[in-house]
């Protein structure tokens, strides 16, 4: 697995414009969150692993995926809120929190969260398989087609009668 923790500042507003002093609502949210990604090994089946006589293991891993993407509600807070006389939008903070979570997830993915999770899975699996006695561990996109060892052919001499 791999995890990223981050902070995002979100500005959300509604009812702004010439009558914003009456109907406007604006807030500044400081959001903290954590994103966790990994490779779900339960998706590895018999067709995803091949071993050879020389102790080599070929393995195809499923793609990394995000397991958790969540705000830390104990640390996320509204830093500032300005509300017009009749402008309180009760959904504004919820919308800001949802946007923060989505932006943090996007930033984590763009920063290499999934690639790091896949790399970590390869390191752990390689170590495990080598400790089980395999000599080489090769991660592939496609499992190679096994080839049969060549069978020695005995020359035949045909004698004509």
């Amino acid at each position: 697995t791999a995890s990223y923790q981050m902070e995002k500042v979100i500005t959300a507003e509604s009812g702004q414009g010439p009558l914003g002093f009456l109907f406007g609502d604006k807030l500044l949210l400081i959001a903290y969150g954590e994103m966790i990604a990994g490779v779900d090994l339960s998706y590895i089946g018999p067709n995803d692993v091949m071993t050879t006589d020389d102790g080599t293991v070929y393995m195809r891993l499923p793609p990394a995926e995000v397991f958790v993407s969540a705000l830390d509600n104990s640390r996320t807070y509204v830093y500032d809120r300005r509300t017009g006389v009749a402008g309180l939008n009760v959904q504004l903070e919820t919308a800001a929190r949802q946007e923060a979570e989505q932006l943090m997830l996007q930033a984590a993915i763009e920063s290499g969260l999934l690639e790091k999770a896949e790399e970590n899975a390869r390191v752990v699996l390689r170590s495990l398989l080598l400790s089980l006695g395999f000599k080489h561990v090769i991660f592939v996109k496609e499992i190679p087609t096994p080839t049969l060892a060549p069978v020695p052919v005995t020359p035949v001499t045909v004698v004509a009668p």
Side-chain angles (χ1 to χ4, degrees), residues 119-135:
E119 176 187 330
N120 290 348
R122 284 193 299 265
V123 167
V124 169
L125 285 171
R126 177 174 283 114
S127 177
L128 173 68
L129 292 168
L130 291 173
S131 73
L132 292 173
F134 291 100
K135 305 288 185 232

Side-chain angles (χ1 to χ4, degrees), residues 91-105:
Q91 297 299 319
L92 191 60
E93 184 177 344
T94 299
R97 286 174 175 270
Q98 290 170 342
E99 181 180 357
E101 189 172 335
Q102 184 177 5
L103 290 173
M104 284 190 280
L105 175 60

Side-chain angles (χ1 to χ4, degrees), residues 29-150:
L29 181 78
I30 310 297
Y32 293 88
E34 180 176 30
M35 284 57 58
I36 301 172
V39 174
D40 188 345
L41 301 180
S42 71
Y43 290 126
I44 297 176
N47 293 331
D48 297 316
V49 180
M50 183 181 86
T51 60
T52 63
D53 292 339
D54 69 351
T56 300
V57 176
Y58 292 91
M59 181 176 279
R60 176 179 45 215
L61 290 178
E65 58 186 278
V66 175
F67 295 149
V68 175
S69 174
L71 289 183
D72 180 346
N73 288 310
S74 67
R75 296 179 64 201
T76 297
Y77 62 95
V78 175
Y79 178 78
D80 185 36
R81 186 161 193 168
R82 298 179 191 268
T83 304
V85 176
L88 181 64
N89 178 347
V90 294
Q91 297 299 319
L92 191 60
E93 184 177 344
T94 299
R97 286 174 175 270
Q98 290 170 342
E99 181 180 357
E101 189 172 335
Q102 184 177 5
L103 290 173
M104 284 190 280
L105 175 60
Q106 181 181 348
I109 289 172
E110 289 172 0
S111 295
L113 175 65
L114 296 174
E115 291 82 1
K116 185 66 175 171
E118 193 171 302
E119 176 187 330
N120 290 348
R122 284 193 299 265
V123 167
V124 169
L125 285 171
R126 177 174 283 114
S127 177
L128 173 68
L129 292 168
L130 291 173
S131 73
L132 292 173
F134 291 100
K135 305 288 185 232
H136 307 283
V137 179
I138 301 171
F139 294 98
V140 295
K141 295 290 181 196
E142 292 297 324
I143 296 295
T145 304
T147 56
L148 298 174

